[in-house]
Amino acid sequence: MSHSHKSLEERITKSLSVLKEDLNTVRAGRANPALLDKVMVDYYGSPTPLKNLSNISVPDPRTLMIAPFDPKSIGDIEKAINVADIGITPSNDGKCIRLGIPQLTEERRKELTKTTKKMGEEAKVAVRNLRRDANDALKKQEKDGELTEDDLKKELDKVQKTVEKAVKDIDDIVAAKEKEILEV
């Protein structure tokens, strides 16, 4: 495998994992701790990921429960959840914070499905840009005499196959998320 092909695969893998992370923040009707992945708490003056400050559990399919390791931080955590604008108001009993995940309305499901599709499209654009970069690099190698014309054809073909597989993976990831959104 040529060096450029390996780096193409690594960059595609990174694009797919970014897509998965972004989709995790799209709230479906089920309680998913990943919803809180991007919540940062101002903890003694430094922004700290919520998951480093608390134990996050799912006592039932519609509830996220956040148990702070430091009881004094509960107010800051509640504030951070409100600021993160995930569309759910936290309730706090002094020890734990509960997030009740509301049922999605039909309209909200449609919106979320659209958002999900858009994220998938953006990931495809990113992957196609990676293809263009890889192809340009290969054509330059051929021009500089580092690759024969036959090698160039083989490498371009490999790039195309890698990108086609990535596009299919993106479709699968998006379809799985849509299924989660449409689940009642």
Side-chain angles (χ1 to χ4, degrees), residues 7-8 10 33 44 55 85 93 106 109 112-114 128 141 152 159 161 163 165 177 179-180 184:
S7 90
L8 172 69
E10 282 164 8
Y44 292 110
N55 184 26
D85 194 24
D93 66 6
E106 201 47 49
R109 284 179 208 269
L112 291 175
T113 307
K114 245 190 231 151
R128 290 187 187 117
Q141 284 178 313
L152 175 65
V159 167
K161 286 198 168 75
V163 167
K165 183 186 177 306
K177 184 67 187 190
K179 188 168 169 271
E180 188 190 324
V184 180

Side-chain angles (χ1 to χ4, degrees), residues 44-154:
Y44 292 110
S46 70
T48 311
L50 172 61
K51 54 186 172 188
N52 296 1
L53 297 176
S54 59
N55 184 26
I56 301 169
S57 58
V58 185
D60 66 68
R62 295 225 160 273
T63 310
L64 284 175
M65 180 122 113
I66 302 153
F69 301 136
D70 169 2
K72 286 196 215 60
S73 68
I74 197 159
D76 293 328
I77 289 175
E78 188 171 17
K79 197 169 121 196
I81 293 169
N82 284 324
V83 169
D85 194 24
I86 50 177
I88 303 165
T89 309
S91 67
N92 158 2
D93 66 6
K95 288 193 191 69
C96 288
I97 294 173
R98 278 190 160 72
L99 287 178
I101 311 292
Q103 281 275 18
L104 295 175
T105 62
E106 201 47 49
E107 198 175 317
R108 188 77 186 114
R109 284 179 208 269
K110 282 193 184 113
E111 263 171 52
L112 291 175
T113 307
K114 245 190 231 151
T115 303
T116 301
K117 277 195 168 70
K118 189 167 161 273
M119 288 174 169
E121 282 312 312
E122 283 165 7
K124 285 181 192 177
V125 168
V127 165
R128 290 187 187 117
N129 288 340
L130 292 176
R131 171 179 59 195
R132 195 191 52 223
D133 294 347
N135 286 348
D136 288 349
L138 288 167
K139 286 173 188 158
K140 185 180 177 322
Q141 284 178 313
E142 192 231 4
K143 209 173 113 207
D144 296 347
E146 295 165 32
L147 281 179
T148 67
E149 204 176 318
D150 277 354
D151 286 341
L152 175 65
K153 279 202 182 93
K154 274 185 210 132

Side-chain angles (χ1 to χ4, degrees), residues 17-27 31-41 47-58 64 66 80-81 84-86 88 99 177:
S17 67
V18 167
L19 172 64
K20 286 178 192 157
E21 280 170 31
D22 288 347
L23 287 174
N24 273 340
T25 64
V26 174
R27 184 169 64 75
N32 176 358
L35 184 62
L36 301 169
D37 276 356
K38 296 205 160 108
V39 175
M40 297 299 270
V41 181
T48 311
L50 172 61
K51 54 186 172 188
N52 296 1
L53 297 176
S54 59
N55 184 26
I56 301 169
S57 58
V58 185
L64 284 175
I66 302 153
I81 293 169
D85 194 24
I86 50 177
I88 303 165
L99 287 178
K177 184 67 187 190

